[in-house]
Amino acid sequence: MLPPEHIKWFSTQSDSTLSSTEIRKERHAVRYLHIGVEFDATVFFLERFIGESLTKNLDKLQRPMVEEIRENTDKIFGVDEHEWRTLNVYNSMQDIILPTMSRVFFGLPLGRDPKFLVSFKRYVLAMGIGTIVIGQLPRMFKGLLVPLFNVPLRYYRGKTMKELVPMVERQLIQTQNAEKHVAEDKYDLIAQSARVSAKLSATRNVADSRMLAEWILLLGFAALSSTIIQASNLLLDILDCSAETEAYELLREEAAQILTSDNHWNNPTLFKSLVLSDSAIRETARYHPILIKGLTKEVVRPTGLDLPDGTHIPRGGWLGVPVLGLHMDDRFYPSPETYDPFRHVRMKREREEAHRKNSSTVERANLTTSDLDAGQPTSTYLGFGYGRHAW
């Protein structure tokens, strides 16, 4: 495990020096659970699809996401303020996020098909359990247990793919025939995935429908599992705050002041003004990181690698970062073991105030605090990875 002062240096090392390929295949059980899916091509596509297409079009996804979130939140939590319900937080978040993410990844009508959603949910569950259990086992035991985990995984993967592949085929044909007439205010993930795949392969041929379906399914698994966990943590963290913080009240007040009409919920610019919400999300990701250690890579340079402090790591050695330890380091976060929902918005204001007092007019104009946003990874905040391959 590397110390914090090495992280920026670590993130700049080339893939020919440090690689996560074998670690993902072994520790994430890729070679055991993703049989038939070519790993390198899949990672290459997903990283570029997320970077070049998905993250640049989040504004187009906001409207359908809001529709699904609103409908399912009202259904699960109810609309009567005087009616009390006993709910399982994780299951409730899953029932809200599953149809929302399915709408994004699979579109309509598949994203609202009850049978498909059940198959997809169970596929995600089987994949998640398999990844955790198989990934932690010594290699000698993996061969014995992998067949047991692959039975339910293959079954639900097959049921999901049975519905998804034909839809992908239809969408690809429609996209090919009407590519120039796609509405600019809408985002079709399947069509965009085909375009990115064609761009990467330097050809205008329509990508294979089964291959694209596999990629979309894996992307859906990664997004769904982590989002449900962190959404559950966020809600529990906010409700567990002391009464003195007024976390719940202040978050509701902020939302009520900024999102004053239904149309505002579809305006991504307004969401950037929800600074208290953004701070609470970042604090939950700090307090409950998905991985307690991350950025793990293998030294693949034949001559090994020398760390900044002179330590030599031979080829085949593994390096990583203690994410939880970093997030709980009081050098970066005062009282790190306390969940402070507005910690990061306060850090922004403190930086702005210090900059105002000690900087010139030109320097003040160039001040930025975006590195403290929830979705911005830094060398001391690894909620979404760090470096070139951060998602």
Side-chain angles (χ1 to χ4, degrees), residues 24-316:
R24 287 179 177 177
K25 289 180 179 179
E26 195 65 35
R27 292 300 296 272
H28 297 177
V30 171
R31 61 162 44 97
Y32 304 99
L33 302 177
H34 301 258
I35 298 173
V37 180
E38 209 287 308
F39 176 78
D40 293 335
T42 301
V43 171
F44 184 76
F45 168 81
L46 291 179
E47 288 184 347
R48 279 148 188 83
F49 175 66
I50 292 171
E52 296 179 14
S53 180
L54 189 58
T55 57
K56 294 179 180 179
N57 290 281
L58 291 178
D59 57 321
K60 297 177 182 178
L61 295 172
Q62 190 156 322
R63 182 180 295 275
M65 289 178 68
V66 167
E67 290 176 2
E68 298 298 330
I69 291 172
R70 177 181 287 126
E71 178 179 337
N72 290 286
T73 299
D74 289 347
K75 183 189 304 180
I76 294 165
F77 286 93
V79 295
D80 186 346
E81 295 182 359
H82 303 289
E83 178 190 3
W84 288 87
R85 298 185 180 185
T86 301
L87 298 171
N88 178 294
V89 172
Y90 181 88
N91 289 341
S92 298
M93 289 297 103
Q94 180 174 245
D95 290 341
I96 294 170
I97 294 169
L98 175 65
T100 301
M101 302 297 281
S102 297
R103 173 82 177 270
V104 170
F105 288 109
F106 312 122
L108 294 176
L110 200 58
R112 287 183 177 174
D113 186 313
K115 292 183 179 179
F116 175 80
L117 291 179
V118 168
S119 297
F120 179 52
K121 180 170 68 174
R122 292 176 179 172
Y123 159 80
V124 170
L125 177 62
M127 180 70 81
I129 294 175
T131 299
I132 293 171
V133 176
I134 299 299
Q136 299 304 314
L137 288 175
R139 185 173 295 182
M140 66 179 67
F141 296 121
K142 290 179 179 178
L144 298 175
L145 294 179
V146 164
L148 296 178
F149 281 88
N150 270 329
V151 170
L153 178 59
R154 289 182 177 177
Y155 176 75
Y156 288 114
R157 176 188 177 193
K159 291 193 69 172
T160 306
M161 289 289 286
K162 183 179 179 180
E163 300 294 331
L164 183 58
V165 172
M167 193 201 72
V168 171
E169 290 178 347
R170 291 193 297 270
Q171 290 285 1
L172 289 180
I173 293 173
Q174 292 176 12
T175 299
Q176 186 181 37
N177 294 336
E179 184 174 357
K180 296 182 180 180
H181 305 290
V182 176
E184 294 184 359
D185 63 339
K186 294 183 179 180
Y187 184 82
D188 186 322
L189 186 142
I190 295 173
Q192 287 295 328
S193 66
R195 294 188 185 100
V196 171
S197 178
K199 178 181 177 181
L200 292 176
S201 61
T203 176
R204 295 305 300 168
N205 294 330
V206 176
D208 175 75
S209 58
R210 187 167 188 85
M211 176 179 64
L212 281 178
E214 291 277 14
W215 288 346
I216 294 168
L217 195 59
L218 287 172
L219 183 59
F221 157 71
L224 184 66
S225 55
S226 59
T227 302
I228 293 172
I229 292 171
Q230 290 299 60
S232 301
N233 287 334
L234 176 62
L235 180 58
L236 291 172
D237 286 338
I238 292 171
L239 296 178
D240 194 46
C241 285
S242 63
E244 291 78 14
T245 64
E246 298 183 315
Y248 178 73
E249 293 79 7
L250 289 172
L251 289 167
R252 286 202 62 166
E253 180 181 337
E254 178 186 64
Q257 290 177 349
I258 293 173
L259 306 172
T260 58
S261 72
D262 285 348
N263 286 334
H264 287 170
W265 284 86
N266 299 316
N267 186 339
T269 302
L270 289 177
F271 274 71
K272 295 179 181 179
S273 301
L274 297 172
V275 293
L276 297 182
S277 298
D278 186 87
S279 178
I281 293 170
R282 184 180 174 104
E283 179 69 350
T284 288
R286 180 198 73 84
Y287 200 68
H288 302 286
I290 292 292
L291 300 173
I292 61 173
K293 58 180 182 293
L295 306 184
T296 311
K297 295 187 178 183
E298 178 185 10
V299 177
V300 294
R301 180 192 290 171
T303 57
L305 178 67
D306 292 327
L307 303 183
D309 63 4
T311 303
H312 180 75
I313 307 298
R315 181 179 184 178

